[in-house]
Amino acid sequence: MPWHQWVDDQLAAIRAAGQWRHTRSFDALGPTGVLGGREVVSFASNDYLGLSAHPAVIDAAVAAASRWGAGSTASRLIVGSRPAHEELEADLAEWRGCEAAVVFSTGYAANLGVLATVGGNDVTILSDELNHASIIDGCRLSRSRIRRFRHGDLDHVTELLATAAGRRVVVTDTVFSMDGDVAPVAELQALCARHGALLVLDEAHAVLGPDVESSPETIRVGTLSKSLGALGGFVAASQPFVDLLVNRARSYIFTTAPSPADMAAALAALRVLRSEEGGSLVGRLRAVVQRVAPGHPSPIVPFVVGEEAEAVAAADALLARGLLVPAIRPPTVAPGSSRLRVALSAAHDDAMIDRLLEGLSAVGLRP
């Protein structure tokens, strides 16, 4: 079969399954902007604290670009490092209570780097069945034996740890990106300590917790592109683990370093987050979540509809009301569990939340 025919067949199959996707240009600063000629309020982004539009964050990015240019021009180990990279890594390590931290180009690259580095033919990786795609792909690249455990099931983890051969790694999101629920982190840390296993935690969405106690046997993966509103990922861990990543992680070694502007923006955002103002923003986000889904542990609130067409129709109806709420469909979620994924932010004011609740009610979805 000619390649062009294969591509056409693949595209036709995607369309026939009702899973066609395309990008949309959103002209926005913060949660409001113009999409397709219509002014909308976005409940789609992961800018949980609104820091992407914070004046101090923007000013830091501009100043860094003026001082060091638009790009880092090389990988970190060649000549890509700038003072902003090292200053950010020091602050990230202090924030996470770890000996050291290292920045990657994205959170995706961070997970690939960690799992490919610690994995091997003599390793068994236990991975939560609802983990993010970056963890799944990192497991595949690790050359390890992979065992999926039932979502959040500590008994299943215990059973697998007791029977797994060789070195063992447990990896999980701490907040799951499609359901917004949280992993039993403290219990997993205790289990791993008991069995001599390494625990890898992806805290990308953990703006409201759960809290994590840092330890030499825990690797903490994070992102700069959600709560901090910039771009990039990082790993915080003991100094030996970070040194190993710098020397072995291919997704760190063989790619151009993150731009100085992104590093400076993330550093400014982190300092806002750790300040009194940051505490107020987190408190505001908690209050917003409480209005939309009382008792929910994260700013990711799913409204499961079921079939793909129904989810798309509900998203279109909300968009007609000026509300951008994405429909999430297979393969991102399991067939029959298509949903609207509401992502809340401290930047959403009371009037925006009123509109969201009214819109959800109008399409038959109630918190």
Side-chain angles (χ1 to χ4, degrees):
M1 177 186 295
W3 275 107
H4 67 84
Q5 183 62 56
W6 179 85
V7 171
D8 289 345
D9 289 349
Q10 295 299 307
L11 294 176
I14 294 170
R15 289 185 184 276
Q19 295 176 356
W20 186 261
R21 292 166 170 80
H22 60 89
T23 60
R24 295 182 289 184
S25 179
F26 185 37
D27 187 356
L29 178 64
T32 60
V34 177
L35 180 69
R38 175 189 289 118
E39 291 189 5
V40 302
V41 178
S42 172
F43 292 92
S45 88
N46 299 318
D47 188 16
Y48 299 129
L49 298 176
L51 291 178
S52 70
H54 193 288
V57 175
I58 294 172
D59 289 347
V62 171
S66 296
R67 177 177 175 182
W68 292 299
S72 295
T73 72
S75 66
R76 292 287 302 277
L77 295 178
I78 301 299
V79 72
S81 282
R82 302 290 184 272
H85 293 85
E86 296 177 354
E87 194 172 355
L88 174 60
E89 287 168 343
D91 276 32
L92 288 168
E94 182 182 8
W95 179 43
R96 288 309 194 205
C98 295
E99 291 179 346
V102 58
V103 170
F104 285 73
S105 57
T106 63
Y108 201 111
N111 274 328
L112 297 186
V114 167
L115 293 167
T117 297
V118 302
N121 295 330
D122 62 334
V123 175
T124 299
I125 297 181
L126 312 184
S127 177
D128 190 290
E129 64 182 349
L130 296 187
N131 274 340
H132 188 264
S134 59
I135 295 176
I136 295 170
D137 290 350
C139 289
R140 290 169 176 166
L141 285 173
S142 73
R143 312 168 308 284
S144 306
R145 295 177 294 272
I146 310 302
R147 301 288 184 268
R148 293 203 308 166
F149 60 87
R150 292 184 294 272
H151 178 51
D153 189 330
L154 294 169
D155 290 337
H156 198 197
V157 177
T158 303
E159 175 188 333
L160 293 174
L161 281 173
T163 58
R167 293 182 292 130
R168 290 154 295 175
V169 177
V170 176
V171 58
T172 183
D173 285 300
T174 61
V175 175
F176 292 86
S177 60
M178 290 299 111
D179 291 300
D181 59 332
V182 301
V185 171
E187 293 85 351
L188 286 172
Q189 284 190 298
L191 271 177
C192 288
R194 191 177 312 141
H195 290 271
L198 179 68
L199 180 61
V200 178
L201 299 175
D202 183 343
E203 300 180 79
H205 297 276
V207 61
L208 298 180
D211 294 332
V212 175
E213 183 176 346
S214 293
S215 75
E217 292 76 33
T218 300
I219 295 179
R220 304 179 67 174
V221 180
T223 179
L224 311 175
S225 59
K226 295 178 174 60
S227 300
L228 298 180
L231 178 65
F234 70 91
V235 179
S238 66
Q239 187 68 60
F241 267 121
V242 169
D243 289 343
L244 185 62
L245 291 172
V246 169
N247 284 275
R248 288 280 179 82
R250 294 170 67 86
S251 60
Y252 172 86
I253 297 170
F254 297 106
T255 190
T256 298
S259 76
D262 283 317
M263 299 298 91
L267 179 60
L270 180 58
R271 289 176 175 174
V272 172
L273 175 56
R274 300 181 71 190
S275 71
E276 183 177 345
E277 180 185 0
S280 297
L281 289 172
V282 171
R284 169 63 189 170
L285 179 60
R286 289 187 189 279
V288 168
V289 173
Q290 189 66 15
R291 279 203 64 195
V292 175
H296 193 66
S298 79
I300 302 166
V301 183
F303 291 87
V304 177
V305 175
E307 297 305 315
E308 295 179 47
E310 296 175 11
V312 171
D316 287 344
L318 289 175
L319 188 58
R321 302 173 68 95
L323 301 168
L324 176 57
V325 181
I328 307 297
R329 302 171 282 156
T332 307
V333 294
S337 68
S338 294
R339 66 198 61 191
L340 299 188
R341 178 187 183 271
V342 173
L344 299 170
S345 172
H348 288 130
D349 61 28
D350 290 342
M352 295 173 186
I353 299 303
D354 289 340
R355 288 181 61 187
L356 172 67
L357 294 174
E358 291 167 2
L360 289 170
S361 179
V363 299
L365 299 174
R366 302 190 67 86

